[in-house]
Amino acid sequence: MTQLWPAPVAPAAVRATVPVPGSKSITNRALVLAALAESPSTLRAPLRSRDTELMAGALRSLGVEVQDGPEGSWQVTPTALRGPAEVDCGLAGTVMRFVPPVAALASGRITFDGDPQARQRPLGTVLDALRELGADIDGNALPFDVHGTGKLAGGAVTIDASASSQFVSGLLLSAPRFEQGVVVLHEGSPVPSLPHIEMTVSMLRAAGVDVDDQEPNTWRVAPGKIHALNVEIEPDLSNATPFLAAAAATGGTVTVPGWPAQTTQAGDAIRHILGQLGAQVQRTTAGLTVTGPEELTPIDIDLHDVGELTPTVAALAALAAGRSRLRGIAHLRGHETDRLAALQNELNKLGGAVEQTPDGLLIEPRPLSGGNWHSYADHRMATAGAILGLKVPGVVVEDIATTAKTIPDFPGMWAAMLEGSA
Ligand SMILES: O=C(O)C1=C[C@@H](OP(=O)(O)O)[C@@H](O)[C@H](O)C1
Ligand SMILES: C=C(OP(=O)(O)O)C(=O)O
C-alpha cells in the first residue's frame, strides 16, 4: 500500500540548522572513477542512499570491492572487471548512464534492468555511442545486455545529448580506460545541465586525466591512468534546497552547514534563485543561511542548467505573490517522471493554475487547499509536496519513502527541522 505522509504545517517561521548528507552526483562519479583507478581509493562522507547503494552494488557485481570504512566512508579497491553480472539501475540516471561504459570494459555478459519507470528514461543514445566505440550491446533501453570483451577501442563519436547531460558524463568517466580515449561531439539542441558535465571534467582532471573541453560541445579525454581518490564528498546542494525553501516559504531562517565556497554542483544556483524570490541569502564559514521574505516575489527564470531544482522552485512559485515562468526545462519530461506534467497535475489538484509550455511551466498562484500529492516515484516531487504542506494545511504526500533515492531519512530531517521552530 502506498504510504501516506501528512505533510506537517509549519507551526511558525521555520528556524533551524540542517546538516545535509553528501552529493549524489559527486558520490556516484567518485565510485566510478575509483572502480577504474590504478589503486584503492577512500571516499569520505559519501551519500548513502538508494542511488549510491545501487551504484556501489553495480560496481561490486563487476568484481570491484566497495567496503565500509571508518565513519561511513567507502574504501574502493579496483579489480579486473568481469561478468556475468546483473546490474539493477533502480531509477538512477547516473547508474543507467554511467555504468554501461564500465561494463563495456569488463569481460562477459552484463544484464541491465531497473524500475518500471526507468525503462521509459532516454538511454538509446549512450548505447548507440558505445556500439560505435566498439561495444557489443543488445537493446536500446532497459533491459539490455552488454557483452564485454575486457577492452574497448574508443575513438570519436557524435551524439545528440539534448535529452540529458549524463550521456556525455557517462562516456567521459570511463574514457581514460578506452584504448584510444574518446572525443565526444554533441550535435543538436543545447545540452542541459552543463554544470554536471563540468563536474565530470573537473573530477577526471583531479584524478590526473587529460581532458580538453575548450571547444564548445566537444570533449576530448586522453587514454591514461586514473589516480586513486582520497576525497571528502561535499553536501548535496540540490537536496539542501527543500530545507532552504522552508525558510523562504515561512519567513524563517535556515542554515545548511558546510556549503562549499567553490563547487561544480548545480544546486549552488539556489543562492541566486532564492535571492530573486525575495529571500536574503548569505554564505559564511558557518554555511549558507537563507531568511525568507514576508511575501515571495514571482520569478521568470531559465532553469536549463539546473533542471533538478525545478520541483523546489515550482513549489515556491506556487506560493508567490504573482505569476511565475520557468523556462528551458523540456528535458524534465525524461527525468524520474515527466516532471512538467507531474507538477502541473499535482498543483492544479490543490487548486493551482499551472500550465505547461513547450519548454516549461507558467505558475499562477491561487489559494491552495489540502489533498493528496502524488509523488510519481520521484524524490523531488515528494519534497515539493512537503514544501507546499508547510503553508497549505491538509497536503498528504503519497510515497514519501521515495525520497530515499537521494536522502536516507527525509521525513526525520524534516521533523527535526520543524521541532525547534514551534
Ligand atoms: O550527472 C548528474 O549527476 C546529473 C545530471 C543531470 O541530469 P540531466 O542532464 O539528465 O538533467 C541532473 O538533472 C541529475 O539529477 C544528475
Ligand atoms: C534527475 C535526477 O536524477 P537522476 O540522477 O536519476 O537523473 C534528479 O535527482 O533530479
Side-chain angles (χ1 to χ4, degrees), residues 219-239:
W219 297 267
R220 291 187 164 78
V221 177
K225 289 194 166 136
I226 297 174
H227 298 327
L229 283 74
N230 182 355
V231 287
E232 170 139 356
I233 311 288
E234 297 170 4
D236 191 307
L237 307 187
S238 297
N239 285 341

Side-chain angles (χ1 to χ4, degrees), residues 303 307-311 314 325-348 354-363 373 376 378 381:
L303 294 173
E308 67 180 10
L309 304 188
T310 301
R325 182 161 173 223
L326 313 185
R327 294 176 278 114
I329 44 175
H331 66 286
L332 264 63
R333 296 192 169 97
H335 273 185
E336 280 78 342
T337 185
D338 176 342
R339 283 182 168 159
L340 301 186
L343 287 163
Q344 180 191 30
N345 288 344
E346 297 314 300
L347 282 165
N348 288 350
V354 178
E355 278 173 45
Q356 281 188 60
T357 63
D359 80 332
L361 293 172
L362 292 174
I363 301 176
W373 178 270
Y376 303 84
D378 180 352
M381 279 302 294

Side-chain angles (χ1 to χ4, degrees), residues 176-193:
R177 294 278 303 269
F178 301 167
E179 284 166 347
Q180 302 158 39
V182 87
V183 181
V184 178
L185 177 72
H186 161 71
E187 267 180 21
S189 312
V191 182
S193 311

Side-chain angles (χ1 to χ4, degrees), residues 106-341:
S107 55
R109 173 174 160 183
I110 297 126
T111 300
F112 285 76
D113 205 352
D115 295 355
Q117 272 172 225
R119 293 179 170 198
Q120 310 302 321
R121 298 191 69 179
L123 188 59
T125 307
V126 175
L127 304 184
D128 282 341
L130 284 171
R131 278 189 273 261
E132 255 189 71
L133 296 172
D136 178 3
I137 300 175
D138 294 334
N140 269 316
L142 291 169
F144 64 89
D145 284 339
V146 176
H147 304 277
T149 57
K151 59 184 177 151
L152 194 75
V157 68
T158 300
I159 64 170
D160 178 351
S162 53
S164 175
S165 64
Q166 292 175 347
F167 299 167
V168 177
S169 288
L171 294 170
L172 302 187
L173 283 167
S174 291
R177 294 278 303 269
F178 301 167
E179 284 166 347
Q180 302 158 39
V182 87
V183 181
V184 178
L185 177 72
H186 161 71
E187 267 180 21
S189 312
V191 182
S193 311
L194 275 179
H196 282 98
I197 299 185
E198 282 157 30
M199 175 186 282
T200 302
V201 168
S202 107
M203 289 182 68
L204 278 163
R205 284 188 182 138
V209 177
D210 179 6
V211 188
D212 177 354
D213 63 349
Q214 275 182 326
E215 240 176 276
N217 295 315
T218 307
W219 297 267
R220 291 187 164 78
V221 177
K225 289 194 166 136
I226 297 174
H227 298 327
L229 283 74
N230 182 355
V231 287
E232 170 139 356
I233 311 288
E234 297 170 4
D236 191 307
L237 307 187
S238 297
N239 285 341
T241 66
F243 302 95
L244 299 171
T250 64
T253 299
V254 167
T255 298
V256 172
W259 200 276
Q262 283 201 329
T263 179
T264 50
Q265 285 192 67
D268 193 36
I270 200 66
R271 294 187 294 120
H272 304 290
I273 297 172
L274 291 175
Q276 276 176 262
L277 283 158
Q280 282 173 40
V281 183
Q282 216 190 356
R283 194 180 49 199
T284 64
T285 47
L288 188 79
T289 299
V290 170
T291 300
E294 226 160 81
E295 198 171 37
L296 290 162
T297 312
I299 191 166
D300 181 346
I301 190 165
D302 184 342
L303 294 173
H304 190 64
D305 275 353
V306 294
E308 67 180 10
L309 304 188
T310 301
T312 295
V313 179
L316 289 175
L319 300 171
R323 181 186 164 100
S324 289
R325 182 161 173 223
L326 313 185
R327 294 176 278 114
I329 44 175
H331 66 286
L332 264 63
R333 296 192 169 97
H335 273 185
E336 280 78 342
T337 185
D338 176 342
R339 283 182 168 159
L340 301 186

Side-chain angles (χ1 to χ4, degrees), residues 24 51 91-94 97 121 166 308 335-336 339 379-380 405-406:
K24 165 195 80 173
D51 275 15
L91 188 50
T94 48
R97 279 93 179 232
R121 298 191 69 179
Q166 292 175 347
E308 67 180 10
H335 273 185
E336 280 78 342
R339 283 182 168 159
H379 54 143
R380 298 197 203 280
K405 182 176 190 287
T406 56

